[in-house]
Amino acid sequence: MARAHKYDVIVVGAGGAGLMAARYAAQHPGVSVAVISKLYPTRSHTGAAQGGVGAALGNVSEDHPEWHAFDTIKGGDYLTDQDVAEMFAHEVVEAVYELEHMGLPFSRTPDGKIAQRKFGGHTREFGKSAVERACYAADRTGHMILQTLYQQSIKDNVVFFNEFHVLDILIEGGECVGVVAYELATGQLHTFHAKATVIASGGNGRMFKVTSNAHALTGDLMSVVYRRGIPLEDPEFYQFHPTGLYKIGVLLTEGARGEGGILRNKDGERFMERYAPTIKDLAPRDMVSRAMYMEIREGRGAGPDNDYIHLDLTHIDAHIIETRLPDITEFARIYLGVDPVKELVPIQPTAHYAMGGIPTTINTEVIRDGDNTIVPGLYAAGEVACASLHGANRLGTNSLGDLIVFGRRAGIYAARYAAETSYKDLPRDEQDFSRALIDRALNGPGWERVSRIRQDLQESMQDNASVFRTEETLTKQVEVLKELKERYQKIGVEDQGEQYNTELMEALELGFLLDNAEALVHAALNRKESRGAHSREDFKERDDEAWLKHTLVYKDGEGVRIDYKPVTLGKYEPKPRVY
Ligand SMILES: Cc1cc2nc3c(=O)[nH]c(=O)nc-3n(C[C@H](O)[C@H](O)[C@H](O)COP(=O)(O)OP(=O)(O)OC[C@H]3O[C@@H](n4cnc5c(N)ncnc54)[C@H](O)[C@@H]3O)c2cc1C
């Protein structure tokens, strides 16, 4: 295969955001589009999404985009950019109908409309009670989105480079002109020359020990842009989903609580009544995860070690459980040997979603500073990006919405830009940086093992930088990361082969994860308040006076530099969050 490629638009990532972007770019007359993905497209994590995509269709009860926008802003603890939330809540309605027209097999109401159910933080009339807003296809919504979009992309003649790992983006004269990728099957580097590049490479949950995220979610492109001088926005806001299977972290969708599931402590008490009297178990995830840990700390956790919580579905009609939540029911049976129809399911919070990421404008253009200076030719969408729709805490179902709304925007804007511009020159020796990364791993001394460093990273992040944080734990984690980075310099890869060298790729992915952890921990140490998913035990209150601003973390030599960007406010004044 040739190792130099030229496409008007290159999309990195074949999850929901990448495929949506590719489809839309391909519909622009005369624009050629290729997708590069380290996984086969339908193995992307979007396929694991269960519960639904939120849109105010009002099919089950009255609903309005305005209510959805408000819930998103309040759910994000007012760090959400309000213009973004308003746009999103309106466009996601259109985008869901589009998915329906592409053939996505949504579950249906008795009268044939797209079925909708309740989800955390989604309310009617600005917080009065929970509302049915999540459009779903049983508990396989993401799977259906991914299959549908993949079929459509094939129909639209998008070209796919599967099992190609992007290791670097090419910036020349301040503009993005393409990427360099490693072909897993042959061990060769390929240069992709592009007029516009869309990054849609998903999240980074693998830096934590207990996570719902697939193994491939190692934040590669967050690290790649960070190494190239582009900051990461709000990385300290990392979401823990309340209902992961005990010890293994496999997710049980919030849709389980949407269908009436209840969280109980060891005494059988429905403790969320004390923390969120109005919407109880359907409070936003940050609040529920914290409440669970409080119960455990105060000795009310279940099990022999009092270290988990019960999810109770036993009062729900077995037919509803089997038809609307078939996959998660199976997960509980297979992994824990527990039958949710008859028994309580042991759960604990699991690392789930990065609210922060590569900073973009509302139109998905990547920006490089607090003045919103655009990097021409570079776009980002999906979990890797930060627009910022989710602020300090994402509401359930708003990520799938994010993929289709911002994926579509990325495709449209990237194609438009590509159609108007000509190819810029590539940098000289454009593969050197990637070649050096690979050589260092292949020829390293091998005194340190990749799997050990990764385990130490995951355990220490879980202990020091997860649901609760303090100056002490974060300072400790800064030191731990320094040490891990030093150890990383001493790794070596045993497999020197060129075909399917997954050991080499895992080594490079660990390097990416370490950068992601560094940005998160420094930002968390710097932010001296509690807001959304960032909970400081030494600064328990939200402090709008000092901290109603976005963080931008830059790589600066061996350390980091922190800057800020204002939050775009709108009609909703920041208020205390009560549910
Ligand atoms: C178990 C689970 C359940 C969820 N349920 C819901 C839900 O019900 N509702 C909801 O709104 N959200 C849900 N989420 C969140 C949501 O699914 C994800 O945030 C979203 O799917 C991310 O989509 P994406 O397109 O950004 O990335 P992904 O789907 O993760 O795709 C990333 C793509 O990037 C590619 N890639 C990554 N690195 C590289 C590289 N270096 N080179 C080349 N390619 C690369 C991968 O191959 C992949 O194709 C869930 C998440 C999980 C983990």
Side-chain angles (χ1 to χ4, degrees):
M1 186 193 272
R3 283 183 284 145
H5 314 266
K6 223 172 177 178
Y7 290 91
D8 295 324
V9 176
I10 291 282
V11 179
V12 180
L19 293 179
M20 197 76 179
R23 267 213 77 209
Y24 272 88
Q27 283 168 19
H28 196 108
V31 168
S32 59
V33 182
V35 172
I36 309 173
S37 176
K38 71 178 180 180
L39 300 173
Y40 186 77
T42 48
R43 294 178 66 100
S44 303
H45 192 70
T46 298
Q50 302 167 350
V53 45
L57 310 185
N59 287 351
V60 175
S61 60
E62 184 186 351
D63 201 4
H64 301 282
E66 203 47 49
W67 296 352
H68 189 184
F70 170 76
D71 288 340
T72 302
I73 293 162
K74 181 178 171 190
D77 220 350
Y78 295 91
L79 195 73
T80 295
D81 282 339
Q82 297 196 13
D83 54 339
V84 174
E86 298 265 1
M87 176 285 286
F88 167 79
H90 286 88
E91 277 195 11
V92 75
V93 172
E94 239 173 75
V96 164
Y97 284 130
E98 257 183 276
L99 289 177
E100 182 186 35
H101 296 161
M102 284 180 213
L104 194 144
F106 281 111
S107 297
R108 297 282 161 180
T109 61
D111 56 350
K113 294 181 182 157
I114 295 174
Q116 297 189 275
R117 62 180 161 210
K118 293 175 181 166
F119 242 79
H122 291 278
T123 71
R124 53 179 297 117
E125 290 179 78
F126 310 100
K128 287 212 173 124
S129 59
V131 74
E132 291 87 351
R133 187 175 289 148
C135 311
Y136 62 95
D139 56 359
R140 305 182 184 117
T141 316
H143 175 84
M144 297 306 181
I145 290 180
L146 202 58
Q147 301 289 336
T148 305
L149 290 176
Y150 186 48
Q151 289 167 3
Q152 296 288 328
S153 310
I154 298 285
K155 191 180 93 190
D156 289 335
N157 296 320
V158 171
V159 179
F160 283 87
F161 292 87
N162 298 330
E163 300 189 323
F164 278 65
H165 285 239
V166 171
L167 301 182
D168 193 18
I169 56 163
L170 301 171
I171 306 267
E172 180 67 5
E175 303 194 18
C176 180
V177 296
V179 302
V180 174
Y182 174 91
E183 184 184 9
L184 194 62
T186 65
Q188 292 187 323
L189 285 175
H190 292 244
T191 299
F192 291 85
H193 193 177
K195 293 179 186 169
T197 302
V198 178
I199 301 178
S201 55
N204 54 10
R206 280 281 147 184
M207 66 180 128
F208 293 100
K209 183 175 162 208
V210 177
T211 177
S212 67
N213 281 200
H215 286 275
L217 294 175
T218 46
D220 305 3
L221 272 290
M222 295 187 195
S223 160
V224 163
V225 301
Y226 178 66
R227 289 173 186 180
R228 289 290 178 191
I230 292 166
L232 295 177
E233 182 173 347
D234 295 335
E236 66 270 41
F237 297 102
Y238 197 89
Q239 177 170 84
F240 279 72
H241 189 299
T243 54
L245 285 181
Y246 176 54
K247 285 215 165 138
I248 40 186
V250 168
L251 194 78
L252 299 189
T253 175
E254 196 168 278
R257 279 172 286 141
E259 298 291 357
I262 291 172
L263 299 174
R264 299 192 187 279
N265 61 21
K266 75 164 192 217
D267 306 320
E269 185 204 4
R270 184 181 195 178
F271 59 86
M272 281 310 299
E273 284 178 335
R274 279 186 274 119
Y275 297 88
T278 308
I279 58 174
K280 306 182 178 83
D281 302 274
L282 287 173
R285 291 174 181 171
D286 56 331
M287 292 177 71
V288 180
S289 287
R290 273 196 298 277
M292 288 168 67
Y293 273 118
M294 297 302 285
E295 292 299 301
I296 289 171
R297 273 189 192 181
E298 287 165 20
R300 294 190 291 275
D305 298 324
N306 301 114
D307 62 347
Y308 59 77
I309 294 294
H310 281 133
L311 174 64
D312 182 2
L313 304 179
T314 55
H315 54 288
I316 301 173
D317 186 338
H319 179 68
I320 291 190
I321 299 182
E322 302 278 6
T323 53
R324 296 194 197 161
L325 303 164
D327 277 5
I328 64 150
T329 305
E330 216 41 39
F331 293 161
R333 286 174 183 152
I334 292 172
Y335 295 116
L336 294 186
V338 168
D339 185 354
V341 174
K342 295 184 234 141
E343 296 165 278
L344 304 177
V345 187
I347 50 157
Q348 77 178 99
T350 184
H352 188 59
Y353 186 86
M355 268 73 72
I358 301 172
T360 73
T361 64
I362 195 169
N363 296 331
T364 71
E365 299 140 313
V366 172
I367 54 178
R368 60 162 64 256
D369 56 34
D371 298 328
N372 292 329
T373 309
I374 286 166
V375 182
L378 190 57
Y379 301 79
E383 189 170 341
V384 74
C386 178
S388 141
L389 172 66
H390 310 298
N393 171 62
R394 171 174 74 79
L395 290 190
T397 77
N398 270 359
S399 172
L400 293 180
D402 174 333
L403 307 184
I404 56 178
V405 167
F406 291 94
R408 178 167 75 164
R409 287 193 158 224
I412 292 171
Y413 284 93
R416 221 181 262 171
Y417 177 80
E420 285 165 3
T421 189
S422 49
Y423 285 99
K424 311 279 164 32
D425 289 343
L426 288 170
R428 286 194 342 150
D429 308 323
E430 82 279 358
Q431 294 188 348
D432 282 6
F433 186 82
S434 307
R435 171 62 54 206
L437 275 183
I438 291 171
D439 287 349
R440 226 178 302 138
L442 285 177
N443 304 328
W447 299 331
E448 292 283 353
R449 303 211 61 84
V450 167
S451 57
R452 274 312 300 267
I453 300 178
R454 188 174 50 224
Q455 191 185 342
D456 290 349
L457 169 71
Q458 292 167 337
E459 282 175 5
S460 59
M461 287 297 286
Q462 192 83 25
D463 289 345
N464 296 327
S466 56
V467 173
F468 289 108
R469 302 156 172 184
T470 64
E471 173 110 27
E472 195 189 334
T473 63
L474 293 166
T475 309
K476 184 163 157 206
Q477 190 59 11
V478 166
E479 291 310 311
V480 171
L481 289 176
K482 258 192 217 151
E483 204 185 293
L484 292 177
K485 283 201 147 186
E486 275 163 30
R487 284 171 58 194
Y488 183 71
Q489 297 306 316
K490 299 181 197 131
I491 60 160
V493 171
E494 273 172 31
D495 183 353
Q496 297 285 314
E498 293 191 325
Q499 291 168 6
Y500 289 96
N501 193 340
T502 50
E503 191 194 348
L504 173 63
M505 283 306 106
E506 279 187 25
L508 298 184
E509 286 173 339
L510 174 61
F512 296 141
L513 269 184
L514 285 166
D515 281 346
N516 280 265
E518 173 184 270
L520 184 153
V521 169
H522 281 276
L525 179 59
N526 185 60
R527 184 176 283 271
K528 296 184 172 46
E529 66 157 355
S530 289
R531 180 186 298 272
H534 174 64
S535 186
R536 289 279 302 251
E537 294 194 273
D538 41 358
F539 298 95
K540 287 203 160 91
E541 301 300 320
R542 191 178 84 196
D543 178 359
D544 289 334
E545 198 71 25
W547 290 105
L548 186 56
K549 56 190 178 188
H550 297 292
T551 303
L552 295 175
V553 186
Y554 293 81
K555 190 161 188 59
D556 188 10
E558 288 308 301
V560 308
R561 176 168 66 81
I562 291 184
D563 200 359
Y564 304 99
K565 195 169 97 84
V567 175
T568 306
L569 295 172
K571 55 177 143 200
Y572 302 111
E573 281 287 310
K575 294 212 178 95
R577 272 201 318 167
V578 180
Y579 282 92

